[in-house]
Amino acid sequence: MKLHRTTRALLALAFTLVVWASAFAGIRAGLRSYSPGQLAVLRFLIASLVLVIYAAIAHFRRPAPRDLPGLILSGLIGISFYNIALNYGEVRVTAGAASLLIASVPIWTALLAAVFLQERLTFLGWLGAVASFVGVALIAGGEGEGIRLSLEALIILAAAITSAVYMILQKHYLGRYSALEFTAYSIWSGTLLMLPFGGGLWHALRTAPSSPTLAIIYLGIFPGALAYVGWAYVLSHGPAARTASLLYLIPVLAILIAWMWLREVPRLLSLLGGTIALAGVVMVNFWGKISSPATLAVAPRPEC
């Protein structure tokens, strides 16, 4: 895998994947006392506060006026819509179907990267992407209640597609801004745009037990602010299509976390799916070489 193998990038990758894998359990815990909109708003208010504190210390540069529309769009689709849709889906869509739909993000990213970034995967690269998707489908079938799609599942699919668009926008702006700066601007704008969905949040805060609220605080600090920064940093060090394929590791890690933390023993079908998903990631990143060398070059950027 011809990513820039810096220690910081590898640590950021490991941290982001593990923390994002834990987010699904945190969302389920938060939804016990908060609506999907309230959970998303509270989570990203916390994430925004973390980034405001850091920005005050690090003295972020102001975004250029010409970049404001794109940064706001990034916040709208990558933060506001994606997270509200995902939270809604965890209430209305079976766990198996939701995880399978979200697992399509790397495929949508590869397609969009081919169009907008001129990135090209080899045949083996595409085969690996499909294999990983099949592996995730087996995980979803083994851990969920079957793959039963509903009308609401279209919202989850739309969230997966907009997440892929968000990654393409990230790749564009990470040539001008650091990972921290881009993440802060997109999270701040996305949080402002989702505020109308947080009706009744103050009442929920006063009446909710401590456990769901602590779960949302965790979601805001770790899978929210820190993991989004970590992913932007990783994405700035490699091609979008192959970097996105690493997201296939999240369902595998989620099963391992549930196994160790919640004592939820995975089924044989899930273990088989995890093995196939891992094999697909290896295929994409070792034999899915992008044919356009221009895409491997990233414009100079300030580090985090």
Side-chain angles (χ1 to χ4, degrees):
M1 182 174 60
K2 294 185 179 179
L3 294 174
H4 299 288
R5 292 178 180 272
T6 65
T7 301
R8 291 173 66 182
L10 292 173
L11 290 174
L13 173 63
F15 171 81
T16 300
L17 293 178
V18 171
V19 168
W20 271 350
S22 72
F24 294 97
I27 290 172
R28 287 197 299 272
L31 287 173
R32 294 172 184 167
S33 301
Y34 294 86
S35 71
Q38 291 168 350
L39 190 154
V41 170
L42 180 57
R43 172 184 176 180
F44 282 95
L45 282 174
I46 294 168
S48 295
L49 178 61
V50 171
L51 292 171
V52 164
I53 294 172
Y54 189 89
I57 299 172
H59 303 293
F60 283 5
R61 297 168 302 160
R62 293 182 180 179
R66 64 182 177 128
D67 293 334
L68 285 175
L71 292 172
I72 293 172
L73 177 63
S74 299
L76 173 64
I77 64 175
I79 305 300
S80 303
F81 180 80
Y82 175 81
N83 285 281
I84 290 175
L86 178 60
N87 294 349
Y88 179 80
E90 292 232 6
V91 174
R92 301 297 182 94
V93 178
T94 62
S99 63
L100 178 59
L101 290 165
I102 292 299
S104 68
V105 169
I107 292 179
W108 296 114
T109 303
L111 291 172
L112 291 172
V115 174
F116 295 104
L117 301 178
Q118 289 74 54
E119 295 183 3
R120 298 289 186 270
L121 291 179
T122 63
F123 173 76
L124 285 177
W126 280 108
L127 186 62
V130 172
S132 290
F133 184 76
V134 171
V136 172
L138 292 175
I139 293 173
E143 297 302 305
E145 301 171 2
I147 307 302
R148 177 171 55 83
L149 299 183
S150 63
L151 179 62
E152 289 84 359
L154 294 176
I155 298 176
I156 306 297
L157 179 60
I161 296 173
T162 55
S163 180
V165 175
Y166 177 69
M167 289 189 196
I168 301 303
L169 288 171
Q170 271 186 307
K171 191 64 179 174
H172 173 73
Y173 286 108
L174 286 172
R176 305 177 190 174
Y177 300 96
S178 71
L180 273 166
E181 289 170 339
F182 174 84
T183 302
Y185 298 143
S186 60
I187 284 183
W188 290 338
S189 59
T191 302
L192 286 174
L193 292 170
M194 73 168 70
L195 286 178
F197 295 92
L201 176 58
W202 178 244
H203 175 73
L205 271 170
R206 289 186 299 169
T207 58
S210 60
S211 179
T213 303
L214 289 174
I216 297 176
I217 292 173
Y218 168 80
L219 289 172
I221 296 174
F222 293 97
L226 300 182
Y228 271 88
V229 172
W231 181 253
Y233 184 75
V234 173
L235 189 61
S236 72
H237 284 73
R242 288 161 65 193
T243 303
S245 72
L246 297 168
L247 295 175
Y248 284 125
L249 296 174
I250 289 179
V252 180
L253 292 171
I255 287 178
L256 295 176
I257 289 172
W259 192 353
M260 294 183 294
W261 185 5
L262 304 176
R263 298 295 186 265
E264 295 179 357
V265 179
R267 300 178 183 176
L268 181 61
L269 184 62
S270 298
L271 294 175
L272 175 62
T275 302
I276 295 174
L278 287 172
V281 170
V282 171
M283 289 178 65
V284 172
N285 288 282
F286 283 92
W287 297 293
K289 182 180 179 181
I290 294 173
S291 60
S292 174
T295 61
L296 297 179
V298 180
R301 71 190 72 78
E303 294 292 339
C304 294

